[in-house]
Amino acid sequence: MRGQSWVHIGQESLSTDMWSGGTTTQLAIYPETADYAARNFMWRLSTATIETQQSVFTPLPGFRRILMVLKGELELDHEGRHHSMLKPFRQDRFEGEWRTVSSGLVTNFNLIFAEECNAELICLDIPPREEISLAAPLSSQKGVTRLSRVLYAADGDLEIGIGGDGGGTCLLKAGELLLAATESERPSALPLLTIVNRGQGSVQLLDVQISMPQQIGEQS
């Protein structure tokens, strides 16, 4: 569904590949023509399973990372930096060039973004039979020409209502996402969203926001 530049990405559009420690599913990448292996992207979202008790993360100089656990518990050791213990829906931020070793069998949510960008990953707990309104993006820094925003239903289905002209309603199933981008200097131009959980249990909605400075927006 498209409405005010929002695009619904269903599971049928996603593909899963193997990596040395398990599986990975790319959810979205910017620009859309970018290739992860070529490292020519501004940001990339993915989920992954870690199926070996200990693994070493691929070094990614020039990028920053935010990792959130979806299932299981994960220990991260950033050599010479800091140490983290992550339970479900807890996150850690770190530099892609750091040597990072993980311990634990988990499913996680990964955001990788160029070091020139700013990014936030927020986890919203939507109670059963509740409706909330989601305001405009947090990022409104001067000089930002492009803001990307992704909503990801982590563990349940949600009904998303999109305000403004051309808006509508979308059923966002578990493991699916809504993607929006604006090239306005006023990111708040993105419409208000209404989030409805019609189920019997709480649903975790991940709200990802990535802002790119003016010179990057002009090159894209």
Side-chain angles (χ1 to χ4, degrees), residues 118-172:
N118 291 311
E120 295 291 338
L121 170 56
I122 302 165
C123 181
L124 302 171
D125 180 81
I126 315 298
R129 304 296 181 180
E130 289 288 331
E131 175 180 319
I132 69 167
S133 294
L134 200 56
L138 298 177
S139 177
S140 58
Q141 306 102 306
K142 185 178 180 180
V144 170
T145 57
R146 187 174 183 92
L147 178 92
S148 295
R149 191 179 194 184
V150 177
L151 301 179
Y152 178 80
D155 56 358
D157 300 347
L158 293 168
E159 184 180 292
I160 313 292
I162 302 173
D165 295 337
T169 301
C170 171
L171 177 61
L172 191 65

Side-chain angles (χ1 to χ4, degrees), residues 30-47:
Y30 178 80
E32 292 182 9
T33 55
D35 178 55
Y36 170 71
R39 306 292 191 263
N40 60 356
F41 59 94
M42 285 292 101
W43 59 262
R44 179 182 187 260
L45 274 178
S46 64
T47 56

